[in-house]
């Protein structure tokens, strides 16, 4: 659970995804905040399904967790986004090569 306002899927952090994580932090960790700085260990790769800062989605999230069944998928793009007063702004996108998962 990222927060009670966000429903997200969180993949296993390994392989190429973990390599991208380290590459990113080698170059950009100085720009990260307390939630995303590598040394704090709080970063979770995820894709957001729904976010609403005004609604506590905790009960819905807990029901989804209870009924969740793991599945396999393929990551085809990485995006870096920033939450601001107007919502979420995607500030960087990187399409992955077909053989990278």
């Amino acid at each position: 659970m990222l927060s009670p306002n966000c429903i997200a899927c969180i993949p296993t952090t390994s392989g190429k995804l973990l390599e991208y994580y380290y590459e990113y932090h080698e170059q950009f960790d100085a720009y990260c905040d307390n939630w995303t700085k590598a040394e704090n260990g709080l970063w979770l790769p995820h894709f957001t399904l729904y976010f609403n800062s005004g609604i506590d989605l905790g009960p819905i999230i807990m029901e989804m967790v209870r009924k969740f069944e793991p599945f396999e998928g393929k990551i085809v793009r990485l995006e870096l986004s920033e939450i601001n007063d107007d919502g979420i702004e995607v500030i960087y996108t990187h399409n992955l090569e077909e053989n990278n998962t």
Side-chain angles (χ1 to χ4, degrees):
M1 179 151 63
L2 297 173
S3 80
N5 309 102
C6 182
I7 297 173
C9 287
I10 301 169
T12 302
T13 307
S14 63
K16 265 306 204 193
L17 184 58
L18 195 56
E19 286 179 38
Y20 284 124
Y21 169 76
Y22 288 122
E23 288 175 15
Y24 171 83
H25 283 285
E26 283 176 12
Q27 296 182 38
F28 303 109
D29 200 59
Y31 299 99
C32 293
D33 62 16
N34 288 333
W35 293 103
T36 55
K37 245 187 193 328
E39 68 187 39
N40 295 339
L42 300 174
W43 175 80
L44 286 174
H46 67 280
F47 57 93
T48 302
L49 300 172
Y50 183 75
F51 177 82
N52 187 321
S53 61
I55 298 174
D56 180 0
L57 300 169
I60 295 169
I61 294 169
M62 295 316 294
E63 183 65 15
M64 290 176 75
V65 167
R66 193 174 73 74
K67 293 184 177 181
F68 179 78
E69 293 188 27
F71 61 92
E72 290 187 21
K74 181 177 181 179
I75 298 170
V76 297
R77 181 174 63 221
L78 300 175
E79 289 186 346
L80 180 62
S81 56
E82 184 172 64
I83 299 173
N84 55 41
D85 293 338
D86 297 324
I88 297 174
E89 177 185 358
V90 176
I91 56 177
Y92 177 76
T93 299
H94 177 74
N95 291 318
L96 302 173
E97 296 176 15
E98 190 169 307
N99 61 350
N100 292 339
T101 56

